[in-house]
């Protein structure tokens, strides 16, 4: 498991496994945000399997599948509402963590300085300088 911190309450990760839930809970995560479409993974790692494992561990679980084509303002706003806008400590995951990071960044555009968004992503190990021009004005 590879959890990467973007803010004090927002983390991203590559694909997680149902067996990771105790470690995720021990890390202080109170909500998981699944950004990975079920079509990308086998049934053992689809949203409902992970939801069952998360809820059994006492962790809230939300689903907002993302592809590069679906990162439109309405979807990003919903993603932010399910994750960054909550009072929970959130772990958003996808295949590598990149989509989750980009979705978080677009959701923060216009709310945080663009350079701070890029720096937070870089601290987590993600280079999003290619979307830097889009981060000065609200995306949603």
């Amino acid at each position: 498991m590879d959890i990467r911190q973007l803010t004090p309450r927002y983390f991203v990760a590559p694909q997680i496994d149902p067996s990771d839930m105790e470690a995720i809970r021990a890390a202080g995560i109170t909500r998981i945000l699944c950004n990975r479409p079920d079509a990308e993974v086998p049934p053992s790692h689809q949203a409902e399997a992970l939801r069952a494992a998360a809820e059994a561990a006492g962790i809230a679980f939300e689903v907002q599948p993302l592809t590069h084509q679906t990162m439109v303002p309405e979807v990003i706003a919903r993603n932010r509402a399910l994750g960054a806008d909550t009072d929970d400590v959130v772990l958003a995951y996808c295949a590598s963590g990149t989509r989750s990071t980009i979705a978080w960044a677009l959701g923060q555009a216009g709310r945080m300085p663009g350079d701070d968004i890029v720096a937070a992503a870089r601290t987590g190990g993600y280079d999003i300088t290619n979307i830097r021009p889009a981060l000065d004005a609200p995306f949603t």
Side-chain angles (χ1 to χ4, degrees):
M1 185 174 56
D2 181 15
I3 296 177
R4 301 176 184 196
Q5 186 171 6
L6 302 184
T7 74
R9 289 185 19 256
Y10 204 87
F11 298 78
V12 296
Q15 177 67 49
I16 59 174
D17 187 85
S19 67
D20 293 333
M21 295 307 158
E22 290 303 320
I24 290 170
R25 187 173 54 129
I29 302 299
T30 58
R31 177 184 297 247
I32 295 172
L33 177 55
C34 171
N35 289 146
R36 192 154 193 202
D38 279 345
E40 295 181 3
V41 293
S44 63
H45 287 76
Q46 290 179 356
E48 287 311 308
L50 286 162
R51 177 190 303 279
E55 290 177 352
I59 304 167
F61 192 89
E62 300 292 345
V63 179
Q64 176 60 73
L66 295 173
T67 65
H68 293 292
Q69 295 81 15
T70 63
M71 285 199 207
V72 296
E74 298 78 24
V75 172
I76 295 301
R78 183 170 186 273
N79 198 72
R80 187 182 64 234
L82 293 172
D85 283 353
T86 70
D87 291 329
D88 286 308
V89 178
V90 176
L91 172 63
Y93 77 90
C94 56
S96 69
T98 301
R99 275 179 283 182
S100 293
T101 300
I102 291 170
W104 170 83
L106 292 172
Q108 297 308 307
R111 295 174 169 225
M112 287 175 63
D115 289 341
D116 292 353
I117 296 169
V118 171
R122 186 177 299 115
T123 298
Y126 297 97
D127 180 3
I128 61 167
T129 53
N130 61 323
I131 67 165
R132 172 62 185 86
L135 301 177
D136 285 327
F139 184 76
T140 59

